[in-house]
Amino acid sequence: MTNGRTSPTHQDAERALVAPGTGNGLADVFRSRFLLKLLVRKELRIRYRGSVLGLLWTYVKPGVQFVAFYIALGVFLGLEQSPTNRGGLPNYAVYLFSGIILVNFFTESLSTATRSIVNNSGLINKIYLPRELFPVSSVWVSAVHFLPQMFVLIVACLFSGWRPGLLEAYTAVAGFLIIALLATGLGLLFGAVNVYFRDSENFVDLLLMVATWISPVLYSWRMVQDKAGEFWFSVYQLNPITIAVESFHHAFWLPTTSGAEGSPPDLITLWIPVGLLVSLAILFLGQWTFRRLEGRFAQEL
Amino acid sequence: MTAAIEIRNINKQFVLRHTRSLKEALVWLLRGRKGDLSKKFHALRDLSIDVEHGETVALLGLNGSGKSTLLKHISGVMLPDSGTVRTGGRVAGLIEVGAGFHPDLSGRDNVYLNGAILGMTEAQIKEKFDSIVEFAEIGEFIDTEVKFYSSGMYLRLAFSVAVHTDPDVFLVDEILAVGDEPFQRKCLAKIKELAAAGKTLIVVSHDLDLVAHVCERGVLLEHGSVVMDGPVGDVISRLRNR
Ligand SMILES: Nc1ncnc2c1ncn2[C@@H]1O[C@H](COP(=O)(O)OP(=O)(O)O)[C@@H](O)[C@H]1O
Ligand SMILES: [Mg+2]
């Protein structure tokens, strides 16, 4: 029945009995870096397969969106400062673009991460692997798409006289991190719930639809402060996306202006740490929910 | 000998839900949970089994008796409702060849992706790459997109990646019937080679002659319980005589 081979003792240690299918969550994703890299590369290759423009779509989409918003809001609604319109924002184009690309990074990350578990059901119900890989790789792919937009922004800023300092570099990185952590956390949460209730996708779509409007992407934070008052403005500021967008404005847009507009009070000392903490808390909540639900992914899919 | 698989009194019930919509679930809750939103199905029933390293086990039973479900519990894809599953060493499931393959990627990319999915490291894949391609008899097509492969080529490459993952415990579910006749013989030879090298095999197949050829021990499942466990020949004759 069994052959007579005896295993050397070091092998016995490796073969200690453990319960299969119980991983360590995001720590396992880090351990499977190579697989993560391959999943990201696969997604990048196949996303735009069969399309003539290919990866150029990642420029075209935000480009068109930017132009439409710029004309409608900057010109028609008078948000851009001009000799005839003193009340507007200086360098509105840079203001708008820096916010749009960051929110687009969030939108793409979250909507693909939410669908990632269901879309990979073929793998998940056949082979055990850290399932967190799928939402994480979705965010990673979006970050790769975000990169060329970032490049365009930096070029545009340099042309507008942007000379960043250390503080600007810090707020830029912080803004990006806040969004990446938040999208990963919410992606884990909604990706897992989506296995049980496909309503999750629609809810996320709704959330993303308002994401651009409830943070100061198109308008200035001062307008909110003026209309809402101190208390409600603080509530408004609790949204990590708001803080991330303001951080990006501080990094890219503010240095290209006279600085008269300013950033919200305490952005760097208070709100950026708050944004990072809120995003981290949501990441933990997402991971916790994901781990509670993932045991039954294979049978539900 | 050391234990490769230790399963103690596991139960698994599947909930056959009738809805994936939040609205219907809410309506059901509000109406005081009247009617059946879901039905339960007992797929594994108080099942216990031990397998030692180096054993070759044929898992037998009619369709729906829970063979695939049991393998999924061993690989960790599913978790039991109660009872414990423990495994020693690396377990790899050949549950379905090519589950991780993507038609728009080249054969080469698929080898890397699938190898990593099955738990190989980058260095291991690099080291075994030539051997994988050679075993699959893919030759110069390795850089062609997999969607242009014939189904035989596709299965050969997928199987080849899977057998090169070199785990301690192999779970094989209905995949020995891949490709054409000569390749089937080659797969069989490879499986026997693994058995001879002291690997643990758990094989599910409808081909009883093949199973009798590869395995020494037979386990018969019926409605999610083990009803017979013994030499493979005895178990097969019981299955044939019912
Ligand atoms: N994810 C699932 N959800 C609901 N029922 C399932 C699921 N997977 C398997 N079953 C049911 O469990 C039973 C056992 O299935 P399976 O293990 O695939 O049988 P076998 O491999 O022996 O043919 C079948 O009746 C099947 O319909
Ligand atoms: Mg089956």
Side-chain angles (χ1 to χ4, degrees):
Chain A
M1 175 142 289
T2 56
N3 66 24
R5 276 169 38 116
T6 44
S7 331
T9 39
H10 74 273
Q11 208 173 351
D12 286 346
E14 274 170 33
R15 287 169 165 192
L17 288 177
V18 292
T22 48
N24 298 304
L26 289 172
D28 281 348
V29 172
F30 182 72
R31 235 164 272 142
S32 318
R33 296 187 291 286
F34 177 57
L35 178 52
L36 178 64
K37 188 175 100 183
L38 294 181
L39 288 172
V40 169
R41 194 189 293 164
K42 172 192 97 171
E43 194 57 37
L44 289 171
R45 289 227 180 121
I46 64 174
R47 175 76 60 87
Y48 294 108
R49 65 179 182 271
S51 71
V52 181
L53 290 184
L55 209 63
L56 270 180
W57 277 112
T58 59
Y59 292 88
V60 173
K61 280 190 229 160
V64 170
Q65 194 187 9
F66 166 74
V67 170
F69 277 145
Y70 179 73
I71 294 173
L73 299 161
V75 181
F76 296 158
L77 286 174
L79 283 167
E80 165 146 68
Q81 196 176 62
S82 63
T84 53
N85 177 23
R86 292 255 149 247
L89 290 162
N91 267 343
Y92 182 67
V94 172
Y95 186 89
L96 186 61
F97 192 69
S98 55
I100 279 187
I101 62 170
L102 194 61
V103 169
N104 278 354
F105 167 49
F106 177 72
T107 311
E108 189 194 321
S109 299
L110 182 52
S111 80
T112 52
T114 300
R115 290 161 172 82
S116 65
I117 302 294
V118 170
N119 285 348
N120 285 290
S121 60
L123 262 182
I124 289 170
N125 58 30
K126 289 189 191 90
I127 298 170
Y128 175 74
L129 68 177
R131 290 105 174 187
E132 284 89 352
L133 276 168
F134 299 110
V136 170
S137 76
S138 301
V139 175
W140 210 276
V141 167
S142 308
V144 174
H145 287 154
F146 173 72
L147 225 60
Q149 301 173 21
M150 202 50 219
F151 178 74
V152 172
L153 174 65
I154 288 176
V155 170
C157 285
L158 286 173
F159 271 107
S160 320
W162 181 61
R163 299 292 174 267
L166 223 52
L167 196 61
E168 280 72 31
Y170 163 71
T171 62
V173 171
F176 178 82
L177 265 183
I178 289 173
I179 294 290
L181 295 174
L182 182 70
T184 308
L186 292 176
L188 286 168
L189 176 72
F190 289 115
V193 172
N194 200 35
V195 173
Y196 299 84
F197 293 108
R198 300 292 148 83
D199 303 69
S200 182
E201 285 179 18
N202 298 305
F203 180 75
V204 165
D205 286 345
L206 189 78
L207 200 78
L208 295 177
M209 205 172 69
V210 295
T212 322
W213 299 90
I214 57 168
S215 43
V217 177
L218 311 169
Y219 50 84
S220 155
W221 61 270
R222 283 187 190 281
M223 298 176 177
V224 182
Q225 197 183 32
D226 291 347
K227 290 255 151 66
E230 277 313 315
F231 175 74
W232 289 110
F233 181 63
S234 297
V235 173
Y236 176 82
Q237 281 287 99
L238 278 175
N239 174 6
I241 306 174
T242 297
I243 301 169
V245 168
E246 288 163 356
S247 304
F248 251 47
H249 287 156
H250 189 90
F252 297 104
W253 167 74
L254 201 61
T256 68
T257 69
S258 67
E261 279 291 320
S263 283
D266 307 322
L267 175 68
I268 288 150
T269 50
L270 173 69
W271 292 114
I272 287 182
V274 165
L276 285 167
L277 281 178
V278 171
S279 288
L280 266 179
I282 289 176
L283 181 64
F284 279 112
L285 174 75
Q287 165 82 100
W288 183 78
T289 318
F290 193 92
R291 298 201 62 179
R292 301 220 29 177
L293 297 179
E294 75 169 335
R296 283 153 49 99
F297 281 176
Q299 71 209 57
E300 297 287 340
L301 285 167
Chain B
M1 285 312 287
T2 49
I5 300 169
E6 181 203 274
I7 296 176
R8 292 278 178 277
N9 311 95
I10 58 168
N11 280 284
K12 186 67 178 182
Q13 290 198 8
F14 287 125
V15 182
L16 305 171
R17 288 203 300 171
H18 298 139
T19 178
R20 291 249 178 263
S21 133
L22 197 57
K23 183 186 118 203
E24 282 170 44
L26 278 177
V27 169
W28 174 79
L29 267 181
L30 291 176
R31 291 210 177 131
R33 309 186 177 208
K34 258 186 245 122
D36 254 352
L37 196 63
S38 58
K39 219 170 64 200
K40 284 200 168 167
F41 175 81
H42 222 127
L44 295 179
R45 211 181 280 271
D46 201 31
L47 185 148
S48 298
I49 189 171
D50 280 282
V51 178
E52 310 242 288
H53 276 293
E55 277 195 282
T56 49
V57 183
L59 209 51
L60 302 164
L62 302 176
N63 270 338
S65 55
K67 304 180 296 288
S68 301
T69 307
L70 179 55
L71 291 191
K72 285 182 178 182
H73 279 77
I74 297 172
S75 66
V77 168
M78 287 183 181
L79 301 176
D81 298 338
S82 63
T84 57
V85 178
R86 298 199 304 158
T87 55
R90 222 159 67 77
V91 178
L94 308 195
I95 307 274
E96 189 170 306
V97 274
F101 267 49
H102 199 286
D104 287 307
L105 296 181
S106 70
R108 181 184 302 273
D109 289 342
N110 270 309
V111 168
Y112 273 88
L113 183 59
N114 231 38
I117 285 171
L118 293 171
M120 289 165 94
T121 64
E122 185 169 12
Q124 282 168 338
I125 304 174
K126 280 211 173 98
E127 183 199 319
K128 300 221 168 112
F129 187 83
D130 291 337
S131 166
I132 290 173
V133 177
E134 194 195 300
F135 185 86
E137 298 166 27
I138 292 293
E140 76 242 48
F141 291 105
I142 191 64
D143 287 309
T144 307
E145 285 169 34
V146 161
K147 66 180 167 202
F148 298 121
Y149 283 19
S150 70
S151 64
M153 288 163 76
Y154 179 89
L155 289 170
R156 286 198 319 253
L157 188 59
F159 183 86
S160 182
V161 176
V163 291
H164 281 84
T165 53
D166 195 35
D168 301 305
V169 181
F170 254 115
L171 311 174
V172 183
D173 194 353
E174 311 270 12
I175 62 153
L176 289 180
V178 304
D180 46 17
E181 180 73 34
F183 189 72
Q184 275 181 32
R185 245 180 284 130
K186 198 167 160 183
C187 291
L188 195 59
K190 186 77 187 177
I191 295 277
K192 293 191 75 173
E193 188 187 313
L194 293 169
K199 302 285 179 195
T200 312
L201 296 181
I202 315 277
V203 182
V204 173
S205 174
H206 279 301
D207 187 340
L208 296 182
D209 295 330
L210 180 149
V211 187
H213 196 55
V214 176
C215 302
E216 288 171 343
R217 176 178 167 194
V219 171
L220 182 60
L221 289 190
E222 223 168 73
H223 303 300
S225 310
V226 176
V227 292
M228 187 178 175
D229 186 347
V232 72
D234 300 356
V235 179
I236 286 179
S237 43
R238 157 133 179 218
L239 189 64
R240 281 198 168 127
N241 294 333
R242 0 177 318 130

mmCIF file of all heavy atoms in Angstrom, chain B residues 63-64 66-69 173-174 204 206, ligand 2:
data_model
loop_
_atom_site.group_PDB
_atom_site.id
_atom_site.type_symbol
_atom_site.label_atom_id
_atom_site.label_comp_id
_atom_site.label_asym_id
_atom_site.label_seq_id
_atom_site.Cartn_x
_atom_site.Cartn_y
_atom_site.Cartn_z
ATOM 1 N N ASN B 63 -21.732 9.959 -10.196
ATOM 2 C CA ASN B 63 -21.805 11.408 -10.356
ATOM 3 C C ASN B 63 -22.577 12.022 -9.210
ATOM 4 O O ASN B 63 -23.622 11.505 -8.828
ATOM 5 C CB ASN B 63 -22.528 11.754 -11.661
ATOM 6 C CG ASN B 63 -21.548 11.857 -12.812
ATOM 7 O OD1 ASN B 63 -20.359 12.076 -12.580
ATOM 8 N ND2 ASN B 63 -22.036 11.685 -14.012
ATOM 9 N N GLY B 64 -22.043 13.095 -8.663
ATOM 10 C CA GLY B 64 -22.760 13.779 -7.590
ATOM 11 C C GLY B 64 -22.516 13.178 -6.219
ATOM 12 O O GLY B 64 -23.124 13.600 -5.243
ATOM 13 N N GLY B 66 -19.841 13.474 -4.511
ATOM 14 C CA GLY B 66 -19.048 14.392 -3.692
ATOM 15 C C GLY B 66 -17.544 14.293 -3.904
ATOM 16 O O GLY B 66 -16.779 14.854 -3.114
ATOM 17 N N LYS B 67 -17.119 13.642 -4.976
ATOM 18 C CA LYS B 67 -15.678 13.470 -5.200
ATOM 19 C C LYS B 67 -14.980 14.815 -5.423
ATOM 20 O O LYS B 67 -13.980 15.120 -4.772
ATOM 21 C CB LYS B 67 -15.439 12.556 -6.413
ATOM 22 C CG LYS B 67 -16.114 11.205 -6.314
ATOM 23 C CD LYS B 67 -15.846 10.341 -7.518
ATOM 24 C CE LYS B 67 -16.397 10.891 -8.823
ATOM 25 N NZ LYS B 67 -17.866 10.822 -8.962
ATOM 26 N N SER B 68 -15.507 15.600 -6.331
ATOM 27 C CA SER B 68 -14.881 16.903 -6.606
ATOM 28 C C SER B 68 -14.939 17.802 -5.377
ATOM 29 O O SER B 68 -13.988 18.526 -5.073
ATOM 30 C CB SER B 68 -15.582 17.596 -7.767
ATOM 31 O OG SER B 68 -15.515 16.797 -8.919
ATOM 32 N N THR B 69 -16.042 17.745 -4.671
ATOM 33 C CA THR B 69 -16.181 18.563 -3.466
ATOM 34 C C THR B 69 -15.119 18.178 -2.441
ATOM 35 O O THR B 69 -14.509 19.052 -1.813
ATOM 36 C CB THR B 69 -17.590 18.379 -2.869
ATOM 37 O OG1 THR B 69 -18.550 18.630 -3.888
ATOM 38 C CG2 THR B 69 -17.825 19.321 -1.723
ATOM 39 N N ASP B 173 -8.428 15.396 -10.959
ATOM 40 C CA ASP B 173 -9.874 15.234 -11.140
ATOM 41 C C ASP B 173 -10.241 15.162 -12.611
ATOM 42 O O ASP B 173 -10.307 16.176 -13.295
ATOM 43 C CB ASP B 173 -10.618 16.396 -10.462
ATOM 44 C CG ASP B 173 -12.109 16.112 -10.324
ATOM 45 O OD1 ASP B 173 -12.574 15.101 -10.864
ATOM 46 O OD2 ASP B 173 -12.797 16.909 -9.669
ATOM 47 N N GLU B 174 -10.517 13.969 -13.080
ATOM 48 C CA GLU B 174 -11.053 13.766 -14.431
ATOM 49 C C GLU B 174 -10.216 14.402 -15.524
ATOM 50 O O GLU B 174 -10.761 14.859 -16.510
ATOM 51 C CB GLU B 174 -12.472 14.363 -14.533
ATOM 52 C CG GLU B 174 -13.418 13.987 -13.432
ATOM 53 C CD GLU B 174 -14.214 12.734 -13.734
ATOM 54 O OE1 GLU B 174 -13.861 12.038 -14.706
ATOM 55 O OE2 GLU B 174 -15.157 12.446 -12.992
ATOM 56 N N VAL B 204 -9.388 10.973 -9.405
ATOM 57 C CA VAL B 204 -10.790 10.758 -9.744
ATOM 58 C C VAL B 204 -10.860 10.539 -11.241
ATOM 59 O O VAL B 204 -10.327 11.353 -12.004
ATOM 60 C CB VAL B 204 -11.657 11.986 -9.386
ATOM 61 C CG1 VAL B 204 -13.072 11.801 -9.894
ATOM 62 C CG2 VAL B 204 -11.656 12.224 -7.894
ATOM 63 N N HIS B 206 -13.368 8.459 -14.518
ATOM 64 C CA HIS B 206 -14.413 7.518 -14.888
ATOM 65 C C HIS B 206 -13.841 6.263 -15.511
ATOM 66 O O HIS B 206 -14.528 5.258 -15.668
ATOM 67 C CB HIS B 206 -15.384 8.189 -15.875
ATOM 68 C CG HIS B 206 -16.383 9.044 -15.190
ATOM 69 N ND1 HIS B 206 -17.234 8.532 -14.248
ATOM 70 C CD2 HIS B 206 -16.650 10.364 -15.273
ATOM 71 C CE1 HIS B 206 -18.003 9.502 -13.785
ATOM 72 N NE2 HIS B 206 -17.651 10.628 -14.381
HETATM 73 MG MG MG C 2 -16.684 15.751 -10.222
#
